[in-house]
Structure formats: structure tokens, C-alpha cells
């Protein structure tokens, strides 16, 4: 690991088995990979897309905080949902966290996730210029 590239782990059960980092800072860019509402082996907000989105985004924000950044540095978010009916609840969680920041965003409905209890997965990108 060089000074130009830093990696953050958060204890996801898949980090070791898949060989990935939660966040990678390279130059001015900080990328946070797919984050769910799992904390260790516990899924928070089971059945509640709003709560899952809040927990997932909070986990992603905690990763960039380890690199000295806050929500104001977020320039892109991505939200992946398993059900179109959850768009409004996930959007509400996003607005609560990012309304003042207004990052560019993408929201997609996908077929499913590795655990069928997961309703929401998020990613974000931050700028540390």
C-alpha cells in the first residue's frame, strides 16, 4: 500500500473471502464499494428499506470518515434496490443524509443480492481535493 492509495476495511463478512476493501482512496478520489445494512453477521432493518438504506449509507460514510472526509465531500451515490415499491423510502433516507450536498445519483432495481433479506445496497464516491 502506498501513500497515494489507502484502503479502509470495515469487517464485512465478505472482505476476507472475496479480497476487497470497503473504501479505496486514490489521489483525490475515494470510492466506497457496495455497502449493505450488515454489521458483521447482523442485518439491521430486516424488511425495512428505509432503515436498511440509512444503515448502509451510514456505513459508507463511516468508511470515508476514516479518511478524514464527511458527507459534504460526497459527489456520487448509487442505490440498488430489489423492489420498485421501496424507491420512496430509500429516497427519503438519501435525502435526509445528502439533501444539503446534492451528489449526482443513480437508482437501479436489481434482481437480488447474495442474501435475500437485503433490500438495499449503496455505493458512494467522494472527492478530497
Amino acid at each position: 500500500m502506498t501513500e497515494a492509495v489507502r484502503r479502509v476495511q470495515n469487517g464485512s463478512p465478505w472482505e476476507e473471502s472475496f479480497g476487497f476493501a470497503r473504501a479505496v482512496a486514490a489521489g483525490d478520489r475515494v470510492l466506497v464499494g457496495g455497502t449493505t445494512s450488515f454489521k458483521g453477521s447482523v442485518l439491521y432493518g430486516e424488511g425495512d428499506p428505509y432503515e436498511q438504506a440509512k444503515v448502509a449509507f451510514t456505513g459508507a460514510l463511516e468508511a470515508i470518515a476514516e479518511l478524514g472526509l464527511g458527507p459534504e465531500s460526497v459527489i456520487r451515490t448509487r442505490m440498488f434496490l430489489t423492489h420498485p415499491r421501496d424507491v420512496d423510502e430509500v429516497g427519503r433516507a438519501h435525502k435526509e443524509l445528502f439533501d444539503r450536498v446534492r451528489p449526482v445519483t443513480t437508482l437501479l432495481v436489481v434482481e437480488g443480492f447474495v442474501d435475500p433479506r437485503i433490500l438495499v445496497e449503496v455505493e458512494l464516491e467522494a472527492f478530497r481535493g
Side-chain angles (χ1 to χ4, degrees), residues 61-72:
L61 289 168
E62 288 169 354
I64 68 169
E66 289 192 40
L67 298 164
L69 302 175
E72 68 285 348

Side-chain angles (χ1 to χ4, degrees), residues 86-100:
D86 297 337
V87 167
D88 290 339
E89 287 300 293
V90 173
R92 180 168 66 98
H94 185 276
K95 182 177 174 98
E96 287 177 10
L97 294 166
F98 299 107
D99 192 31
R100 293 181 57 201

Side-chain angles (χ1 to χ4, degrees), residues 10-127:
N10 78 340
S12 160
W14 297 291
E15 283 177 347
E16 286 304 313
S17 61
F18 288 13
F20 73 90
R22 171 64 44 223
V24 175
D28 286 337
R29 292 180 71 194
V30 177
L31 305 172
V32 180
T35 306
T36 67
S37 63
F38 266 102
K39 300 280 186 183
S41 62
V42 177
L43 177 69
Y44 288 84
E46 187 169 345
D48 183 343
Y50 168 80
E51 187 63 25
Q52 284 195 22
K54 289 277 289 214
V55 172
F57 272 124
T58 298
L61 289 168
E62 288 169 354
I64 68 169
E66 289 192 40
L67 298 164
L69 302 175
E72 68 285 348
S73 65
V74 175
I75 59 172
R76 173 185 294 275
T77 60
R78 291 183 184 93
M79 296 165 278
F80 304 90
L81 318 176
T82 55
H83 300 288
R85 68 173 183 249
D86 297 337
V87 167
D88 290 339
E89 287 300 293
V90 173
R92 180 168 66 98
H94 185 276
K95 182 177 174 98
E96 287 177 10
L97 294 166
F98 299 107
D99 192 31
R100 293 181 57 201
V101 178
R102 298 287 171 131
V104 64
T105 194
T106 301
L107 186 143
L108 299 166
V109 176
V110 299
E111 184 70 24
F113 299 110
V114 296
D115 185 312
R117 298 173 299 160
I118 298 171
L119 303 174
V120 180
E121 186 166 328
V122 304
E123 296 178 349
L124 60 81
E125 183 172 344
F127 181 74

